[in-house]
Amino acid sequence: MTLHTTAADCAQELPEARLGHPFGDDWEVFKVRGKVFMLMTEVPGRPVVILKADPGEALALREHNSHITPGYHMNKKHWITLEDGDGVDESLIRELVTESYRLVVAHLPKAEQPVDPRTYAGTRASR
């Protein structure tokens, strides 16, 4: 599977996740309850996935994987950019997409949260 296919498949399995193209056809934007949790595009010609991440976790991820960099066109402290490469497998992609979703859901008003962000582990883990 490709980076974009794996990330999109995972995102579409998440409760209330919606795909849109608010920035044009070159950008796929996934939102939950109107809040962005994942963006996908190509920079330049390389597929990338941009995800929300806990600042401490984002720093550790960037230090340990050269294919994870600060968020492209996003807040560099709270977002990461993921591209294909060594150490970037389906498991890591799914983990990072799900964590980005959980972080966004956690900041929604409790009545709007489609899942409990403290306990939600994603669709794969709950099967």
Side-chain angles (χ1 to χ4, degrees), residues 5-6 10 24 29 36 38 50 55 57-58 61 65 67 71 77 89 93 95 109 115 117 121 126:
T5 301
T6 302
C10 179
V29 179
V36 174
M38 182 173 85
I50 303 153
E57 182 69 16
L61 286 165
N65 192 316
H67 301 289
K77 183 177 177 183
D89 59 13
I93 296 166
E95 178 184 327
V115 298
S126 60

Side-chain angles (χ1 to χ4, degrees), residues 7-119:
D9 286 352
C10 179
Q12 290 170 344
E13 294 170 1
L14 298 168
E16 300 297 319
R18 302 285 183 261
L19 170 62
H21 296 89
F23 309 122
D25 292 340
D26 292 343
W27 287 83
E28 292 191 0
V29 179
F30 286 85
K31 297 180 180 183
V32 57
R33 303 279 193 211
K35 302 291 183 184
V36 174
F37 70 91
M38 182 173 85
L39 303 100
M40 297 191 314
T41 192
E42 293 197 4
V43 184
R46 292 186 332 266
V48 296
V49 175
I50 303 153
L51 300 160
K52 192 163 186 71
D54 171 78
E57 182 69 16
L59 184 60
L61 286 165
R62 291 193 305 264
E63 287 176 354
H64 291 93
N65 192 316
S66 62
H67 301 289
I68 299 175
T69 57
Y72 179 74
H73 281 305
M74 302 296 275
N75 179 304
K76 307 301 184 211
K77 183 177 177 183
H78 295 275
W79 291 82
I80 57 172
T81 298
L82 178 65
E83 59 183 82
D84 271 325
D86 291 340
V88 178
D89 59 13
E90 182 176 351
S91 175
L92 178 63
I93 296 166
R94 286 184 161 278
E95 178 184 327
L96 294 175
V97 170
T98 302
E99 181 60 15
S100 178
Y101 171 87
R102 285 172 13 100
L103 287 167
V104 171
V105 167
H107 287 92
L108 294 172
K110 195 160 188 75
E112 293 182 31
Q113 294 177 351
V115 298
D116 184 340
R118 296 165 304 187
T119 58

